[in-house]
PDB file of all heavy atoms in Angstrom:
ATOM      1  N   VAL A 323      -2.512  18.904  -8.256  1.00  0.00           N
ATOM      2  CA  VAL A 323      -2.579  19.495  -6.912  1.00  0.00           C
ATOM      3  C   VAL A 323      -1.480  18.870  -6.062  1.00  0.00           C
ATOM      4  O   VAL A 323      -1.344  17.654  -6.006  1.00  0.00           O
ATOM      5  CB  VAL A 323      -3.995  19.290  -6.280  1.00  0.00           C
ATOM      6  CG1 VAL A 323      -4.432  17.837  -6.301  1.00  0.00           C
ATOM      7  CG2 VAL A 323      -4.054  19.850  -4.872  1.00  0.00           C
ATOM      8  N   ARG A 324      -0.688  19.731  -5.421  1.00  0.00           N
ATOM      9  CA  ARG A 324       0.455  19.218  -4.646  1.00  0.00           C
ATOM     10  C   ARG A 324      -0.006  18.295  -3.525  1.00  0.00           C
ATOM     11  O   ARG A 324      -1.068  18.492  -2.950  1.00  0.00           O
ATOM     12  CB  ARG A 324       1.261  20.393  -4.071  1.00  0.00           C
ATOM     13  CG  ARG A 324       2.125  21.121  -5.087  1.00  0.00           C
ATOM     14  CD  ARG A 324       2.684  22.388  -4.482  1.00  0.00           C
ATOM     15  NE  ARG A 324       1.590  23.208  -3.936  1.00  0.00           N
ATOM     16  CZ  ARG A 324       1.719  24.098  -2.975  1.00  0.00           C
ATOM     17  NH1 ARG A 324       2.896  24.323  -2.424  1.00  0.00           N
ATOM     18  NH2 ARG A 324       0.684  24.795  -2.551  1.00  0.00           N
ATOM     19  N   ARG A 325       0.845  17.350  -3.211  1.00  0.00           N
ATOM     20  CA  ARG A 325       0.493  16.366  -2.190  1.00  0.00           C
ATOM     21  C   ARG A 325       0.367  17.007  -0.816  1.00  0.00           C
ATOM     22  O   ARG A 325      -0.403  16.541   0.016  1.00  0.00           O
ATOM     23  CB  ARG A 325       1.528  15.231  -2.199  1.00  0.00           C
ATOM     24  CG  ARG A 325       1.592  14.461  -3.513  1.00  0.00           C
ATOM     25  CD  ARG A 325       0.336  13.644  -3.743  1.00  0.00           C
ATOM     26  NE  ARG A 325       0.181  12.665  -2.703  1.00  0.00           N
ATOM     27  CZ  ARG A 325       0.726  11.441  -2.731  1.00  0.00           C
ATOM     28  NH1 ARG A 325       1.394  11.062  -3.789  1.00  0.00           N
ATOM     29  NH2 ARG A 325       0.569  10.600  -1.724  1.00  0.00           N
ATOM     30  N   VAL A 326       1.107  18.078  -0.579  1.00  0.00           N
ATOM     31  CA  VAL A 326       0.998  18.749   0.720  1.00  0.00           C
ATOM     32  C   VAL A 326      -0.432  19.263   0.916  1.00  0.00           C
ATOM     33  O   VAL A 326      -0.942  19.301   2.046  1.00  0.00           O
ATOM     34  CB  VAL A 326       2.051  19.880   0.853  1.00  0.00           C
ATOM     35  CG1 VAL A 326       1.804  21.002  -0.139  1.00  0.00           C
ATOM     36  CG2 VAL A 326       2.124  20.419   2.266  1.00  0.00           C
ATOM     37  N   THR A 327      -1.095  19.606  -0.179  1.00  0.00           N
ATOM     38  CA  THR A 327      -2.471  20.093  -0.126  1.00  0.00           C
ATOM     39  C   THR A 327      -3.449  18.910  -0.105  1.00  0.00           C
ATOM     40  O   THR A 327      -4.338  18.825   0.746  1.00  0.00           O
ATOM     41  CB  THR A 327      -2.760  20.974  -1.370  1.00  0.00           C
ATOM     42  OG1 THR A 327      -1.748  21.965  -1.464  1.00  0.00           O
ATOM     43  CG2 THR A 327      -4.126  21.616  -1.295  1.00  0.00           C
ATOM     44  N   LEU A 328      -3.280  18.008  -1.060  1.00  0.00           N
ATOM     45  CA  LEU A 328      -4.239  16.907  -1.237  1.00  0.00           C
ATOM     46  C   LEU A 328      -4.282  15.969  -0.020  1.00  0.00           C
ATOM     47  O   LEU A 328      -5.362  15.671   0.512  1.00  0.00           O
ATOM     48  CB  LEU A 328      -3.846  16.098  -2.484  1.00  0.00           C
ATOM     49  CG  LEU A 328      -4.655  14.831  -2.729  1.00  0.00           C
ATOM     50  CD1 LEU A 328      -6.075  15.174  -3.161  1.00  0.00           C
ATOM     51  CD2 LEU A 328      -3.996  13.940  -3.780  1.00  0.00           C
ATOM     52  N   ASP A 329      -3.116  15.515   0.416  1.00  0.00           N
ATOM     53  CA  ASP A 329      -3.090  14.454   1.425  1.00  0.00           C
ATOM     54  C   ASP A 329      -3.706  14.920   2.746  1.00  0.00           C
ATOM     55  O   ASP A 329      -4.387  14.157   3.440  1.00  0.00           O
ATOM     56  CB  ASP A 329      -1.649  13.963   1.643  1.00  0.00           C
ATOM     57  CG  ASP A 329      -1.079  13.282   0.398  1.00  0.00           C
ATOM     58  OD1 ASP A 329      -1.817  13.143  -0.591  1.00  0.00           O
ATOM     59  OD2 ASP A 329       0.112  12.917   0.406  1.00  0.00           O
ATOM     60  N   HIS A 330      -3.453  16.186   3.073  1.00  0.00           N
ATOM     61  CA  HIS A 330      -4.012  16.748   4.304  1.00  0.00           C
ATOM     62  C   HIS A 330      -5.547  16.693   4.254  1.00  0.00           C
ATOM     63  O   HIS A 330      -6.209  16.353   5.258  1.00  0.00           O
ATOM     64  CB  HIS A 330      -3.521  18.194   4.419  1.00  0.00           C
ATOM     65  CG  HIS A 330      -4.033  18.918   5.610  1.00  0.00           C
ATOM     66  ND1 HIS A 330      -3.950  18.402   6.886  1.00  0.00           N
ATOM     67  CD2 HIS A 330      -4.647  20.125   5.729  1.00  0.00           C
ATOM     68  CE1 HIS A 330      -4.483  19.261   7.733  1.00  0.00           C
ATOM     69  NE2 HIS A 330      -4.933  20.299   7.052  1.00  0.00           N
ATOM     70  N   LEU A 331      -6.121  16.994   3.074  1.00  0.00           N
ATOM     71  CA  LEU A 331      -7.581  16.981   2.941  1.00  0.00           C
ATOM     72  C   LEU A 331      -8.123  15.547   3.031  1.00  0.00           C
ATOM     73  O   LEU A 331      -9.212  15.316   3.564  1.00  0.00           O
ATOM     74  CB  LEU A 331      -8.001  17.642   1.623  1.00  0.00           C
ATOM     75  CG  LEU A 331      -7.637  19.138   1.534  1.00  0.00           C
ATOM     76  CD1 LEU A 331      -7.942  19.694   0.152  1.00  0.00           C
ATOM     77  CD2 LEU A 331      -8.390  19.936   2.614  1.00  0.00           C
ATOM     78  N   LEU A 332      -7.337  14.590   2.525  1.00  0.00           N
ATOM     79  CA  LEU A 332      -7.765  13.187   2.630  1.00  0.00           C
ATOM     80  C   LEU A 332      -7.753  12.732   4.092  1.00  0.00           C
ATOM     81  O   LEU A 332      -8.672  12.046   4.552  1.00  0.00           O
ATOM     82  CB  LEU A 332      -6.846  12.287   1.794  1.00  0.00           C
ATOM     83  CG  LEU A 332      -6.885  12.517   0.272  1.00  0.00           C
ATOM     84  CD1 LEU A 332      -5.825  11.668  -0.426  1.00  0.00           C
ATOM     85  CD2 LEU A 332      -8.273  12.200  -0.288  1.00  0.00           C
ATOM     86  N   VAL A 333      -6.719  13.135   4.808  1.00  0.00           N
ATOM     87  CA  VAL A 333      -6.628  12.766   6.236  1.00  0.00           C
ATOM     88  C   VAL A 333      -7.790  13.414   7.010  1.00  0.00           C
ATOM     89  O   VAL A 333      -8.434  12.757   7.852  1.00  0.00           O
ATOM     90  CB  VAL A 333      -5.258  13.207   6.823  1.00  0.00           C
ATOM     91  CG1 VAL A 333      -5.212  12.997   8.332  1.00  0.00           C
ATOM     92  CG2 VAL A 333      -4.114  12.444   6.152  1.00  0.00           C
ATOM     93  N   ALA A 334      -8.087  14.671   6.683  1.00  0.00           N
ATOM     94  CA  ALA A 334      -9.197  15.359   7.365  1.00  0.00           C
ATOM     95  C   ALA A 334     -10.514  14.644   7.071  1.00  0.00           C
ATOM     96  O   ALA A 334     -11.360  14.469   7.968  1.00  0.00           O
ATOM     97  CB  ALA A 334      -9.262  16.816   6.898  1.00  0.00           C
ATOM     98  N   ALA A 335     -10.683  14.175   5.819  1.00  0.00           N
ATOM     99  CA  ALA A 335     -11.930  13.469   5.458  1.00  0.00           C
ATOM    100  C   ALA A 335     -12.064  12.189   6.283  1.00  0.00           C
ATOM    101  O   ALA A 335     -13.172  11.831   6.713  1.00  0.00           O
ATOM    102  CB  ALA A 335     -11.928  13.141   3.963  1.00  0.00           C
ATOM    103  N   ALA A 336     -10.936  11.513   6.529  1.00  0.00           N
ATOM    104  CA  ALA A 336     -10.990  10.285   7.341  1.00  0.00           C
ATOM    105  C   ALA A 336     -11.459  10.623   8.761  1.00  0.00           C
ATOM    106  O   ALA A 336     -12.331   9.946   9.325  1.00  0.00           O
ATOM    107  CB  ALA A 336      -9.621   9.608   7.352  1.00  0.00           C
ATOM    108  N   GLY A 337     -10.892  11.687   9.327  1.00  0.00           N
ATOM    109  CA  GLY A 337     -11.305  12.105  10.676  1.00  0.00           C
ATOM    110  C   GLY A 337     -12.796  12.419  10.719  1.00  0.00           C
ATOM    111  O   GLY A 337     -13.517  11.987  11.626  1.00  0.00           O
ATOM    112  N   GLU A 338     -13.260  13.144   9.694  1.00  0.00           N
ATOM    113  CA  GLU A 338     -14.684  13.524   9.666  1.00  0.00           C
ATOM    114  C   GLU A 338     -15.598  12.309   9.500  1.00  0.00           C
ATOM    115  O   GLU A 338     -16.743  12.331   9.939  1.00  0.00           O
ATOM    116  CB  GLU A 338     -14.940  14.507   8.509  1.00  0.00           C
ATOM    117  CG  GLU A 338     -14.518  15.925   8.861  1.00  0.00           C
ATOM    118  CD  GLU A 338     -14.254  16.767   7.629  1.00  0.00           C
ATOM    119  OE1 GLU A 338     -14.844  16.475   6.571  1.00  0.00           O
ATOM    120  OE2 GLU A 338     -13.430  17.704   7.731  1.00  0.00           O
ATOM    121  N   ALA A 339     -15.075  11.255   8.868  1.00  0.00           N
ATOM    122  CA  ALA A 339     -15.904  10.043   8.667  1.00  0.00           C
ATOM    123  C   ALA A 339     -15.950   9.183   9.930  1.00  0.00           C
ATOM    124  O   ALA A 339     -16.581   8.128   9.940  1.00  0.00           O
ATOM    125  CB  ALA A 339     -15.350   9.240   7.491  1.00  0.00           C
ATOM    126  N   GLY A 340     -15.250   9.596  10.978  1.00  0.00           N
ATOM    127  CA  GLY A 340     -15.300   8.847  12.234  1.00  0.00           C
ATOM    128  C   GLY A 340     -14.141   7.879  12.415  1.00  0.00           C
ATOM    129  O   GLY A 340     -14.161   7.033  13.320  1.00  0.00           O
ATOM    130  N   VAL A 341     -13.127   8.004  11.559  1.00  0.00           N
ATOM    131  CA  VAL A 341     -11.960   7.134  11.684  1.00  0.00           C
ATOM    132  C   VAL A 341     -11.089   7.638  12.834  1.00  0.00           C
ATOM    133  O   VAL A 341     -10.965   8.852  13.034  1.00  0.00           O
ATOM    134  CB  VAL A 341     -11.148   7.170  10.356  1.00  0.00           C
ATOM    135  CG1 VAL A 341      -9.847   6.409  10.486  1.00  0.00           C
ATOM    136  CG2 VAL A 341     -12.000   6.632   9.205  1.00  0.00           C
ATOM    137  N   ASP A 342     -10.493   6.728  13.584  1.00  0.00           N
ATOM    138  CA  ASP A 342      -9.527   7.108  14.629  1.00  0.00           C
ATOM    139  C   ASP A 342      -8.186   7.360  13.925  1.00  0.00           C
ATOM    140  O   ASP A 342      -7.491   6.417  13.551  1.00  0.00           O
ATOM    141  CB  ASP A 342      -9.431   5.957  15.634  1.00  0.00           C
ATOM    142  CG  ASP A 342      -8.543   6.299  16.821  1.00  0.00           C
ATOM    143  OD1 ASP A 342      -7.678   7.200  16.684  1.00  0.00           O
ATOM    144  OD2 ASP A 342      -8.688   5.660  17.875  1.00  0.00           O
ATOM    145  N   VAL A 343      -7.851   8.618  13.679  1.00  0.00           N
ATOM    146  CA  VAL A 343      -6.638   8.965  12.917  1.00  0.00           C
ATOM    147  C   VAL A 343      -5.517   9.287  13.895  1.00  0.00           C
ATOM    148  O   VAL A 343      -5.664  10.184  14.730  1.00  0.00           O
ATOM    149  CB  VAL A 343      -6.890  10.190  12.005  1.00  0.00           C
ATOM    150  CG1 VAL A 343      -5.628  10.533  11.218  1.00  0.00           C
ATOM    151  CG2 VAL A 343      -8.043   9.932  11.041  1.00  0.00           C
ATOM    152  N   ARG A 344      -4.422   8.552  13.808  1.00  0.00           N
ATOM    153  CA  ARG A 344      -3.288   8.799  14.708  1.00  0.00           C
ATOM    154  C   ARG A 344      -2.051   9.104  13.863  1.00  0.00           C
ATOM    155  O   ARG A 344      -1.462   8.195  13.273  1.00  0.00           O
ATOM    156  CB  ARG A 344      -3.029   7.577  15.584  1.00  0.00           C
ATOM    157  CG  ARG A 344      -4.263   7.184  16.390  1.00  0.00           C
ATOM    158  CD  ARG A 344      -3.982   6.021  17.295  1.00  0.00           C
ATOM    159  NE  ARG A 344      -5.225   5.505  17.863  1.00  0.00           N
ATOM    160  CZ  ARG A 344      -5.296   4.436  18.630  1.00  0.00           C
ATOM    161  NH1 ARG A 344      -4.198   3.755  18.942  1.00  0.00           N
ATOM    162  NH2 ARG A 344      -6.459   4.019  19.102  1.00  0.00           N
TER     163      ARG A 344
END
Side-chain angles (χ1 to χ4, degrees):
V323 53
R324 285 170 306 155
R325 298 291 298 273
V326 65
T327 308
L328 174 71
D329 295 357
H330 179 51
L331 296 174
L332 295 174
V333 173
E338 281 158 27
V341 174
D342 185 337
V343 180
R344 303 183 191 176

